[in-house]
Amino acid sequence: MKCEIIDFETVDWKLLDSFADRTVFQTREWVRFLAESQNATPVLAELSESGRVVGYFTGLTFTRLGVKILGSSFPGWTKPYMGFNLIPGASRADALAAVEQAAWNDWKCLHMEVSDPHFTVEEGESLGFQTSYYISYRTDLTKPEDELFQGMESACRRCVRKAEKSGVTIEEAHDIAFADEYYEQLKDVFAKQGLVPTYDVERVRALVRHMEPSGNVLLLRARDPAGKCIATGIFPGFNKIVEFWGNASFRVSQGFRPNELIQWHVMRYWKNRGAEIYDWGGEGTYKEKYGCVAHRVPWFIKSRYQFIGKLRDGAKKMYRGKQRLMGWWQGERTPVASE
């Protein structure tokens, strides 16, 4: 299979978006959001076989510690997968092999990571990739609405009803100020665990700027009976899959159960727009109360030289330590309110 880079600005985006396996993380707006927030360069490649175009690859290149990297996706991007769009019958293993050669020879990368929801572990391992996993949960949105609701644990259903009876309301947001509301609540969520958020507020603002006009993201506010915003959520979606990107709320207001009401709204909203899968965006056993089931997507990793892989693993451990240190430091500096 042949891999040839194509121009990000002039490509036929309607053609790319017409692929049945297309996800929101491959759309033009999302890639632009990533390019801005990660200081990365978009990479689009056309894949052909015997003179016939069989699909496309989406990723970004960037440099860390002097090492050029191809990510599709990459840890820290707060998104799980990107990968390929291929016609039925095209080999994903052959497509991955073609992109690997382009990464080393044409794009001069020294490290690459690829996660694609349609890959099998064997396809990556057959090409010598180290295999990890993106672990999440999924809800089948093709089920009738009543069945989705009954699939939740009884306690979760009671929380939804309590929020409704208490006067909690859910509204769609379309303004940039939403990003700051979400981030203030997110800091409160992380503070409960002695941590700080893994990204800054500017990343949320960039997401809203790029994605809200496209219609491929649902931004939600939950308001208490007095009209105060007490919870928020960000849920991008396209084609068959919708993603749980982020949800935050103030601890003092969680008795109103706004998060459960937000999630129930999300499922109904995207189901009514034809989505078939709600991907809950990562681990967290609390998600099981919504009736979702565990799901794993392979994550393929390869370095051109062995020492680069070791650098990658070391950097990941250092980042986690830094996050915990910053959480402790900010906790020590935050005044405790008097009662």
Side-chain angles (χ1 to χ4, degrees):
M1 192 176 291
K2 182 180 178 182
C3 176
E4 182 177 354
I5 194 166
I6 54 178
D7 184 66
F8 182 85
E9 298 299 333
T10 60
V11 68
D12 185 348
W13 286 99
K14 287 185 178 180
L15 171 63
L16 269 62
D17 289 346
S18 69
F19 277 77
D21 56 359
R22 192 85 162 155
T23 73
V24 68
F25 303 126
Q26 297 162 320
T27 60
R28 171 172 48 185
E29 294 81 9
W30 192 274
V31 175
R32 282 178 171 166
F33 155 60
L34 274 184
E36 176 183 333
S37 62
Q38 302 300 322
N39 192 26
T41 301
V43 171
L44 287 180
E46 184 178 81
L47 299 158
S48 59
E49 198 167 36
S50 302
R52 179 181 65 146
V53 175
V54 297
Y56 298 88
F57 168 80
T58 304
L60 298 97
T61 59
F62 61 101
T63 300
R64 293 274 176 86
L65 300 175
V67 175
K68 189 175 183 182
I69 299 169
L70 171 65
S72 181
S73 177
F74 197 78
W77 286 4
T78 53
K79 56 180 296 301
Y81 40 70
M82 293 179 78
F84 297 81
N85 298 123
L86 301 176
I87 64 174
S91 168
R92 288 188 181 268
D94 290 349
L96 180 59
V99 166
E100 179 189 356
Q101 291 305 308
W104 306 150
N105 300 330
D106 300 330
W107 306 330
K108 307 303 180 184
C109 295
L110 297 178
H111 182 82
M112 64 179 292
E113 305 200 14
V114 177
S115 184
D116 182 310
H118 303 284
F119 265 110
T120 65
V121 173
E122 292 75 19
E123 287 169 323
E125 290 180 340
S126 68
L127 296 170
F129 280 83
Q130 175 188 342
T131 303
S132 182
Y133 292 97
Y134 159 68
I135 304 174
S136 183
Y137 295 89
R138 283 188 169 185
T139 294
D140 181 0
L141 295 181
T142 65
K143 294 179 179 179
E145 190 172 300
D146 289 347
E147 189 174 337
L148 284 174
F149 191 71
Q150 290 303 316
M152 298 181 188
E153 294 179 0
S154 59
C156 187
R157 297 196 301 271
R158 287 196 296 271
C159 288
V160 172
R161 295 189 182 104
K162 177 181 179 180
E164 292 173 334
K165 291 178 180 179
S166 298
V168 175
T169 56
I170 306 297
E171 67 179 35
E172 294 181 25
H174 302 281
D175 54 298
I176 194 66
F178 169 88
D180 295 86
E181 290 176 292
Y182 168 85
Y183 199 76
E184 282 302 308
Q185 295 165 5
L186 186 69
K187 288 192 294 185
D188 196 38
V189 171
F190 273 80
K192 183 179 180 181
Q193 307 168 63
L195 300 173
V196 295
T198 56
Y199 50 89
D200 61 19
V201 66
E202 187 51 43
R203 185 181 303 193
V204 189
R205 292 174 185 150
L207 187 155
V208 175
R209 283 198 305 270
H210 286 283
M211 292 299 298
E212 194 282 327
S214 74
N216 292 331
V217 66
L218 176 65
L219 308 174
L220 294 180
R221 288 186 177 99
R223 296 191 182 276
D224 68 12
K228 178 184 177 182
C229 179
I230 58 174
T232 50
I234 300 172
F235 309 92
F238 181 81
N239 206 357
K240 297 179 181 179
I241 303 179
V242 55
E243 188 78 19
F244 177 10
W245 192 83
N247 181 203
S249 58
F250 289 125
R251 283 175 282 176
V252 70
S253 301
Q254 286 178 357
F256 284 110
R257 314 310 301 191
N259 295 317
E260 288 86 352
L261 189 59
I262 280 179
Q263 294 295 348
W264 179 226
H265 185 98
V266 170
M267 286 186 262
R268 289 178 293 168
Y269 175 95
W270 283 110
K271 174 181 171 59
N272 290 336
R273 283 156 180 77
E276 298 179 3
I277 297 169
Y278 180 20
D279 191 319
W280 286 77
E283 297 181 84
T285 55
Y286 76 92
K287 298 173 183 178
E288 295 175 0
K289 67 183 180 181
Y290 294 99
C292 48
V293 297
H295 181 77
R296 299 197 306 178
V297 174
W299 190 292
F300 301 144
I301 304 167
K302 185 181 279 192
S303 299
R304 194 161 194 183
Y305 305 107
Q306 187 176 9
F307 79 92
I308 295 174
K310 293 181 180 179
L311 286 175
R312 185 255 195 203
D313 294 339
K316 188 175 181 180
K317 292 178 181 178
M318 288 178 62
Y319 176 79
R320 289 176 176 172
K322 176 183 176 183
Q323 188 196 18
R324 290 191 176 277
L325 178 61
M326 290 298 297
W328 171 83
W329 176 248
Q330 291 196 12
E332 288 291 305
R333 296 178 65 193
T334 301
V336 178
S338 59
E339 297 184 2

